[in-house]
Amino acid sequence: MKEHSKRIILAMIVACQLMMVLDASVLVTALPEIGSTLHLSTAALTWVQNAYILAFGGFLLLGARAGDILGRRKTFAAGIALFSLASMLAGLAPSAELLLVARALQGVAAAMATPSALALLSVSFSEARERSKAIAVYSAVSGAGGSVGLIVGGLLTDLISWRAGMFLNVPIGVALLLMVPRYMQETETKVGRLDIMGAMTSVIGMTALAFGFVQAASVGWKAPEVWGSLALGGVSLAAFVRIEARAKEPITPLRLFANRTRSGAYLGRLLLLCGNYPIFFFVPQFLQKVLHFNSLQAGLAIMPFTAVQFGMMYAMPTLLARFGNAKVLIAGLIIAITGTSWLSLISVESSFLPHLFFPLLVMGCGAGMIFQPFTTLGLSGVDAKDAGAASGLVNVAHQTGASLGLAVLIAVFEAANRPEVPSDTSFAHAISVSLVGSAVFLTASLLAVLILLLPAERAQRVVAAEPRNAS
């Protein structure tokens, strides 16, 4: 394949990933306006996000399997087409109910396109060095796309409307669809069947868990629908594991978890997103409700984080070559925990500079060191037959962590938001407590890396060194 064609393919894959990741955050800075327009509370507003990311994460494994059976180029194109249509419907939605349905359709479409995009990247960049560079670009977009979405969403909300953020996807999607037949080659297909029951139990399980936590924030932990939802979530996820263990063609081959490195990468990434994603739900609302920024200003306020995270992309090849994935990942998590803990000190007396600006710089540095190692380790040692499922699990961990973390921390937020205290003071305190929760999740991610990933990487180095020592 010519170098020019490879660049175009990488640009197409990056554009697809940016659309999918950006849409997880493009409405965040517009949430206060959406809430007032469609009459949604802070807790209810989480479903504008969770309708998308739960469907995204829940159907990713099925989307990955569809790519294996139907062909990854075909699945990629179908996902882009559905995503463009759903984006148009979301932009036109006259009510909260229709907006949430359109957001869920966007999530299903993203679940079709994203794993096929990552698998096509692996196929198109077969040489180790060029694949590493391609994954670095992909990881940078995956990590920083969310914060870019905040800026774009804020700009469009201030200048036009929050609906413009949805319409933006349509011309990009059409352009990608026109380029797919020319530049992307179809991958080899496999004879098989789609594991519908596995997909449905996983989606029901994660949605029920998220609903339980969000309802707890609204009606309290004693309400029967809270414990009923949490119980349904647990039972559904247990059924999912049982189905996958017995299925002849599971969407999640459990053998992928036999590798300690991959298991650690999946768990670590999930816990990372549990802590990292809610930050970009809460901080823009702090900026708008406490510091009285407008939507554009709130989006631009995330620039310190975004700029440093993108900048780290250029340092990553050198850092990884010198220290390896595990050490860079550990250092990045420690830096991210430090920045998040620092940010959690904000209060109603805080100002953007210095109380938010400098912690965001530190957090951006840490985030820029995390996503590429997690992606690389999540795909390590995967057989060609499991490439689609493994790439799906990387994204499942990402999206599931985001939705679960947001659901848990909105419950923390509502519990800390005390009605007897003046509103701005109470709101700022609740945001601060929620950010402490984010730091706890990031710390759990670090522990997963130390317990699972670091020993596994040391063992691999010992095995790799044995032939040289023997000779």
Side-chain angles (χ1 to χ4, degrees):
M1 188 183 293
K2 294 181 180 179
E3 191 67 27
H4 174 68
S5 296
K6 287 186 177 181
R7 288 199 189 101
I8 293 176
I9 289 172
L10 180 60
M12 293 171 65
I13 291 171
V14 164
C16 168
Q17 184 66 6
L18 183 59
M19 285 172 64
M20 308 309 169
V21 175
L22 185 147
D23 259 53
S25 63
V26 72
L27 294 183
V28 168
T29 45
L31 287 176
E33 182 181 328
I34 294 172
S36 60
T37 302
L38 301 180
H39 311 293
L40 294 170
S41 66
T42 300
L45 281 172
T46 62
W47 288 105
V48 175
Q49 299 303 99
N50 270 342
Y52 176 73
I53 55 182
L54 279 170
F56 191 173
F59 286 103
L60 263 170
L61 299 174
L62 189 65
R65 182 64 176 154
D68 290 337
I69 295 173
L70 304 175
R72 287 166 186 157
R73 187 182 77 169
K74 187 182 296 182
T75 307
F76 176 82
I80 294 294
L82 179 59
F83 193 87
S84 302
L85 175 62
S87 296
M88 182 176 293
L89 294 175
L92 296 172
S95 66
E97 292 79 10
L98 290 177
L99 174 62
L100 297 184
V101 169
R103 290 287 281 168
L105 278 177
Q106 283 185 305
V108 173
M112 295 169 64
T114 301
S116 290
L118 187 53
L120 286 166
L121 182 148
S122 298
V123 171
S124 302
F125 297 87
S126 54
E127 193 270 323
R129 187 172 180 181
E130 67 176 8
R131 180 183 291 183
S132 177
K133 290 181 179 179
I135 289 178
V137 175
Y138 179 91
S139 300
V141 169
S142 297
S147 48
V148 171
L150 296 175
I151 298 168
V152 172
L155 176 64
L156 294 175
T157 300
D158 256 19
L159 297 182
I160 308 173
S161 164
W162 63 266
R163 299 177 185 276
M166 297 290 95
F167 292 135
L168 183 65
N169 295 318
V170 179
I172 299 173
V174 171
L176 286 174
L177 286 173
L178 293 174
M179 296 171 72
V180 165
R182 182 175 179 181
Y183 292 102
M184 286 186 169
Q185 297 180 351
E186 186 57 277
T187 56
E188 182 181 351
T189 59
K190 301 175 182 178
V191 177
R193 63 178 64 181
L194 295 176
D195 180 14
I196 302 296
M197 287 302 298
M200 292 308 299
T201 51
S202 66
V203 170
I204 292 171
M206 288 309 305
T207 302
L209 286 180
F211 183 80
F213 283 113
V214 172
Q215 281 298 100
S218 301
V219 300
W221 287 98
K222 295 181 180 180
E225 63 263 35
V226 171
W227 291 107
S229 295
L230 295 176
L232 175 61
V235 170
S236 297
L237 292 177
F240 168 72
V241 174
R242 184 179 178 84
I243 289 169
E244 297 309 284
R246 295 186 171 190
K248 291 182 179 180
E249 298 178 31
I251 54 172
T252 311
L254 297 184
R255 59 181 173 271
L256 287 173
F257 297 98
N259 182 296
R260 188 171 179 175
T261 297
R262 286 197 300 270
S263 295
Y266 299 146
L267 178 60
R269 192 182 190 108
L270 184 146
L271 292 169
L272 166 69
L273 266 296
C274 279
N276 191 63
Y277 181 81
I279 293 170
F280 300 101
F281 177 85
F282 289 119
V283 169
Q285 296 197 62
F286 176 87
L287 291 168
Q288 291 179 75
K289 293 189 177 182
V290 179
L291 299 188
H292 306 295
F293 283 27
N294 61 32
S295 299
L296 176 57
Q297 290 171 331
L300 290 173
I302 309 300
M303 278 296 291
F305 179 96
T306 307
V308 174
Q309 185 174 15
F310 269 120
M312 287 302 299
M313 177 179 71
Y314 297 98
M316 284 300 289
T318 302
L319 291 173
L320 292 172
R322 182 169 182 179
F323 300 108
N325 285 299
K327 289 182 179 178
V328 172
L329 182 53
I330 290 168
L333 283 167
I334 291 172
I335 293 170
I337 292 166
T338 302
T340 305
S341 300
W342 187 2
L343 185 65
S344 72
L345 300 177
I346 57 174
S347 68
V348 72
E349 287 86 20
S350 296
S351 58
F352 175 70
L353 187 68
H355 301 104
L356 279 83
F357 180 82
F358 291 113
L360 287 170
L361 284 179
V362 175
M363 290 163 62
C365 180
M369 299 169 67
I370 291 169
F371 288 99
Q372 184 180 348
F374 266 144
T375 301
T376 301
L377 292 167
L379 299 174
S380 64
V382 177
D383 292 336
K385 64 180 180 180
D386 290 330
S391 62
L393 276 173
V394 168
N395 285 288
V396 165
H398 200 100
Q399 302 303 326
T400 301
S403 59
L404 185 60
L406 181 57
V408 171
L409 293 183
I410 195 66
V412 172
F413 169 86
E414 291 291 346
N417 195 6
R418 296 168 294 186
E420 70 275 8
V421 178
S423 59
D424 281 0
T425 301
S426 178
F427 191 87
H429 170 74
I431 295 286
S432 174
V433 173
S434 301
L435 292 174
V436 171
S438 287
V440 171
F441 274 125
L442 294 179
T443 303
S445 177
L446 175 61
L447 291 175
V449 170
L450 292 173
I451 294 170
L452 294 173
L453 277 176
L454 190 58
E457 185 165 280
R458 286 174 178 168
Q460 289 175 353
R461 286 201 301 267
V462 170
V463 170
E466 283 177 356
R468 293 196 297 270
N469 294 337
S471 60

